[in-house]
Amino acid sequence: MLSSLLRTVARRNTRSRLLAGLVFGAFFAFASGLIPGSLAGTATAEELVTVHTSSQGLVFQPLADHGTLLLTVAGPDGYSLERTSFRDGVPAIDVSGLTDGVYQWRLQAQPSSATRQRTPEDGERSRRNAGPTPQSGAFSVRDGSVVDSGRVEPLPGAAPVQGGSGPQAATEELFSNNNLYVHNSACIGGDCVDQNENFGLDTLRLKEENLRLHFEDTSNTFDFPTRDWRLLINSNTNGGPDRFSVEDVDAGTVPMTIEGDAPDHALYVTSDAALGLGTNTPGRSIHSTSGNTPGLRLEQDVSRGFSPYTWDVSANEISFHLRDVSNGDTLPFVVHAGAPSNSLVVEADGDVYFGEQASQDHVSLNIRTNDDDNFAGLRVENVGTGNIQTQFANLEDDWEWRQTFREGDMIFDSQEDGANEWELDTDGNVTATSFNPTSDRNLKQGFDAVDPAEVLERLAAIPVTRWSYRGDADATPHIGPVAQDFHAAFGVGADDRHISTTDADGVAFAAIQALYQQLQEARADRAMLLQRLEALERCEP
């Protein structure tokens, strides 16, 4: 039945809506009877859809093109459904496999783009209407089928519905211009039992098929408020929900409803204005209690003209998290249970610190860890194809440095000349214009003289070979000693696996001095030999 109903609706989408409504209305009236508006949502000019039902489910025929329609359904045992994709593009609910009970549904439009952009005048509490109002209703499932909602309980004084007790025959009407005093208890309604009503502790009892308490304000002078209100007890349609509701009669809305079987303390307000949701002992101004992941949903619909979007804030024994529901249920913010104090702090001046407040002034971002793991610290990961970049800038003085990680290489550039001032590739090669190690006398201590000749002799004994680094796919050739030989010869540097440029320069300087000394000695010897040669030449006849 539901499949044929869907096919019928799909075919109507290609015809005029007027003809489609007549054809479907005739079919549906023949099949199962027209649906009362209070349950299925009979369409008006302001509603999104016309609701049609069969024993197998509900079909929602759109009345206009409002873009994508979001269907939300909630039911017994925590049942929840959200869907925007439907067969033949027509929202529908198939009740096969659903648990018996009352289900609430809600349809809201989700246009592809906002009908207006947010402006400063809108603010966060703007109440201007600019979009279609969501439409909602209810249905009941019993033994795997939708309960026939075509039967409505009669008004007081009407013939009783089949299976109902019906109103008692009225013997007389009572009208008094004076005050009315009733000692003990009073029963009002068509099903009150004459003289045999067992009131228990009830002072006032309303008793009949349709229980309504109407508050009609007849003020008609000056600007006194005149709005009428009504208390509604249960639906008057077959299969409708058990509920206690407050109706705004003038507006035609039901701003508050409590469903039947709501648990104890579903809504509890204490004497000091604390609100408990699921608890009668709220520990904070608002306290929500649930057996599984209590949370708060923040849903923006299109009723004000903005794009629909939904966020969830929830928590459990694993984490506190912010869920971007409209973006595939992603979790952009998560705090795991057991996180230490001050894990994330934003100060009044906008400074941010993780783990501890900055110990020095003028620090806007401070990260402190207390972890024995070798990899504790900061990690920035790009799961896409672009580069990772950090920027350091002073807009007032017009300077900027950028640190870029590109294909594994790390680059520093000043953005002044368009060139990279410093590069480090994944093979450990550093490229820069020049390197200036610190060599300030005021920063050094423990000066000891060295023997340049000894340095030269040791340097001459160190093997100098041609080689390439392991792991270098290009096998780039290099010439030089190994750190172990250098350290064994001179005993300088942090370890025997590295050669500091400062030490290499120092050894080179000492060796140059030794060579210069040898050169000076050679020049002196040459000068002496030249003098002796000249003397010998003068002695010749």
Side-chain angles (χ1 to χ4, degrees), residues 87-169:
R87 179 181 176 183
D88 299 323
V90 179
I93 301 173
D94 184 353
V95 303
S96 59
L98 293 186
T99 303
D100 288 359
V102 178
Y103 292 78
Q104 301 287 338
W105 60 263
R106 184 172 183 260
L107 270 172
Q108 64 184 75
Q110 292 188 308
S112 57
S113 60
T115 57
R116 65 187 179 98
Q117 298 298 316
R118 190 178 300 277
T119 65
E121 289 74 18
D122 291 320
E124 294 183 355
R125 297 181 61 83
S126 171
R127 300 182 63 84
R128 290 191 295 166
N129 285 314
T133 300
Q135 185 174 342
S136 60
F139 64 93
S140 290
V141 175
R142 183 179 301 155
D143 298 329
S145 299
V146 177
V147 175
D148 178 14
S149 59
R151 303 167 67 181
V152 181
E153 287 184 312
L155 295 175
V161 66
Q162 183 179 358
S165 59
Q168 302 295 319

Side-chain angles (χ1 to χ4, degrees), residues 438-445 447:
T438 299
S439 190
D440 186 353
R441 176 184 296 274
N442 298 316
L443 298 178
K444 298 180 179 181
Q445 62 183 3
F447 292 95

Side-chain angles (χ1 to χ4, degrees), residues 136-201:
S136 60
F139 64 93
S140 290
V141 175
R142 183 179 301 155
D143 298 329
S145 299
V146 177
V147 175
D148 178 14
S149 59
R151 303 167 67 181
V152 181
E153 287 184 312
L155 295 175
V161 66
Q162 183 179 358
S165 59
Q168 302 295 319
T171 58
E172 62 178 306
E173 293 184 351
L174 175 65
F175 182 85
S176 174
N177 286 323
N178 298 317
N179 297 329
L180 177 65
Y181 299 89
V182 177
H183 290 282
N184 298 321
S185 300
C187 181
I188 300 176
D191 288 334
C192 290
V193 179
D194 293 342
Q195 300 180 355
N196 294 316
E197 191 72 35
N198 182 8
F199 286 97
L201 297 178

Side-chain angles (χ1 to χ4, degrees), residues 214-297:
H214 189 91
F215 302 86
E216 182 174 355
D217 193 317
T218 59
S219 301
N220 58 9
T221 58
F222 301 104
D223 292 323
F224 292 113
T226 62
R227 188 165 298 264
D228 296 343
W229 299 86
R230 180 181 290 121
L231 298 183
L232 306 177
I233 308 300
N234 299 331
S235 171
N236 68 336
T237 57
N238 189 39
D242 297 319
R243 54 98 184 265
F244 170 87
S245 299
V246 176
E247 178 186 6
D248 182 341
V249 177
D250 290 353
T253 59
V254 181
M256 190 191 82
T257 294
I258 301 175
E259 286 189 354
D261 294 324
D264 288 339
H265 317 310
L267 179 66
Y268 197 99
V269 181
T270 67
S271 58
D272 57 354
L275 174 62
L277 302 175
T279 176
N280 64 335
T281 57
R284 291 292 184 268
S285 298
I286 300 178
H287 183 158
S288 176
T289 298
S290 171
N292 183 9
T293 314
L296 171 67
R297 170 154 292 190

Side-chain angles (χ1 to χ4, degrees), residues 373-389:
D373 184 64
N374 292 332
F375 299 99
L378 175 66
R379 177 182 177 89
V380 180
E381 182 176 356
N382 183 1
V383 297
T385 59
N387 301 326
I388 296 177
Q389 186 176 94

Side-chain angles (χ1 to χ4, degrees), residues 61-100:
Q61 175 61 42
L63 295 174
D65 185 7
H66 292 293
T68 301
L69 291 177
L70 171 63
L71 173 63
T72 305
V73 183
D77 301 327
Y79 176 84
S80 178
L81 170 70
E82 285 191 2
R83 183 174 296 171
T84 57
S85 178
F86 310 97
R87 179 181 176 183
D88 299 323
V90 179
I93 301 173
D94 184 353
V95 303
S96 59
L98 293 186
T99 303
D100 288 359

